[in-house]
Amino acid sequence: MSREEALKVIESVLSQDRTAMVEYEAKQVLKAYGLPVPNEKLAKTLDEALKYAEEIGYPVALKLMSPQILHKSDAKVVMLNIKTPEELKQKWEEIHENARKYRPDAEILGVLIAPMLRPGREVIIGVTEDPQFGHAIMFGLGGIFVEVLKDVTFRIIPITERDAKKMITEIKGYPILAGARGEEPADIEAIVNLLLKVSELVNDLSDYIKEMDLNPVFVYEKGKGAVVVDARIILKVPEKK
């Protein structure tokens, strides 16, 4: 764990008069605290993108990073399953054109080159701050379970291992994680570790973190871990002491 590494990223964002981190910045903070994130690289030029895609291995995904475009799907700046350098060159142009159409004034920090991940069971982990109680952590299944059914649970940070296990088992969708209809059980220990690391991160950086959203997180079969696919962090300007 490196609080210093996370603070470098946070202070860099705040120095640019921003409080909303782009996905790449948010994942650097998560990575500093040992949360599992994909092996991604930020390319600022097409040549860098081609080089990083070779290093990561095709197929790859492209995600344009801009502080003014936080809802990337709305702006059509996410391109998936790119299989060749020729396709990457074409999508590189397309993704920048879509960004210009969506927000002509958008500052483009680069394009994230990411591996295509094997799908897993989707969960969501969120953090909000209540003026009275402080930071709370939320857990639930992703997709329709959170959007329509609101099948989520909350605890005040910091949480214990017992709290984390209880959060996982008390949602209505827990049987899906436990292995419904003959499916292999999901890696519950990996989810417990994720919840504990998010709690530790936010407790440690409580002067800076206002909101956090890890969505989706892919959880694989028991013993095969989990990975944070997308992340969003909203900062607050710390009070001077």
Side-chain angles (χ1 to χ4, degrees):
M1 182 189 80
S2 173
R3 185 174 192 269
E4 289 70 27
E5 287 177 24
L7 278 177
K8 278 183 192 173
V9 181
I10 289 171
E11 286 167 357
S12 171
V13 173
L14 291 174
S15 72
Q16 298 169 47
D17 292 326
R18 291 195 281 125
T19 54
M21 289 184 150
V22 299
E23 179 184 339
Y24 176 73
E25 293 162 338
K27 283 180 171 172
Q28 293 302 302
V29 173
L30 300 180
K31 192 176 175 182
Y33 276 78
L35 278 94
V37 297
N39 176 27
E40 302 170 332
K41 297 191 175 185
L42 187 68
K44 298 193 175 182
T45 65
L46 176 58
D47 285 343
E48 283 184 352
L50 291 165
K51 177 186 168 194
Y52 294 156
E54 287 293 338
E55 291 174 2
I56 291 169
Y58 289 95
V60 296
L62 305 187
K63 300 179 181 180
L64 184 133
M65 298 288 110
S66 168
Q68 289 79 37
I69 306 177
L70 296 179
H71 298 287
K72 298 184 287 295
S73 296
D74 293 349
K76 299 179 182 174
V77 293
V78 177
M79 303 283 175
L80 302 177
N81 205 26
I82 295 162
K83 297 185 179 71
T84 65
E86 290 70 29
E87 192 179 354
L88 190 151
K89 289 175 188 174
Q90 178 192 337
K91 297 298 183 185
W92 177 272
E93 294 301 325
E94 194 175 326
I95 205 170
H96 283 83
E97 188 178 341
N98 289 347
R100 286 191 291 271
K101 284 180 185 171
Y102 187 78
R103 277 289 300 261
D105 62 335
E107 179 190 4
I108 296 171
L109 302 181
V111 176
L112 205 57
I113 312 299
M116 288 299 299
L117 299 171
R118 179 170 67 88
R121 271 164 273 193
E122 293 187 14
V123 302
I124 178 172
I125 297 173
V127 172
T128 55
E129 186 179 26
D130 181 273
Q132 186 175 359
F133 298 106
H135 289 93
I137 186 168
M138 178 199 77
F139 171 76
L141 294 183
I144 189 172
F145 292 95
V146 65
E147 291 171 10
V148 178
L149 302 179
K150 311 295 183 193
D151 183 17
V152 295
T153 184
F154 292 86
R155 291 289 189 286
I156 298 297
I157 287 174
I159 62 170
T160 64
E161 184 174 342
R162 184 179 177 186
D163 292 327
K165 290 179 177 175
K166 182 72 175 167
M167 289 177 76
I168 295 166
T169 55
E170 70 189 13
I171 60 170
K172 294 184 180 68
Y174 173 66
I176 293 172
L177 296 173
R181 296 191 173 183
E183 272 196 313
E184 284 191 45
D187 197 332
I188 302 296
E189 282 305 310
I191 306 174
V192 170
N193 286 333
L194 270 170
L195 289 167
L196 291 174
K197 283 179 177 173
V198 169
S199 171
E200 185 179 12
L201 185 161
V202 175
N203 193 48
D204 210 22
L205 301 172
S206 60
D207 288 343
Y208 297 90
I209 305 292
K210 182 178 181 183
E211 296 174 23
M212 182 184 292
D213 196 13
L214 312 186
N215 182 28
V217 176
F218 284 175
V219 182
Y220 298 113
E221 298 82 5
K222 185 177 180 180
K224 296 186 177 176
V227 62
V228 179
V229 180
D230 201 351
R232 183 178 68 96
I233 294 177
I234 305 295
L235 299 172
K236 55 184 179 180
V237 179
E239 294 179 7
K240 291 182 180 176
K241 297 178 180 176

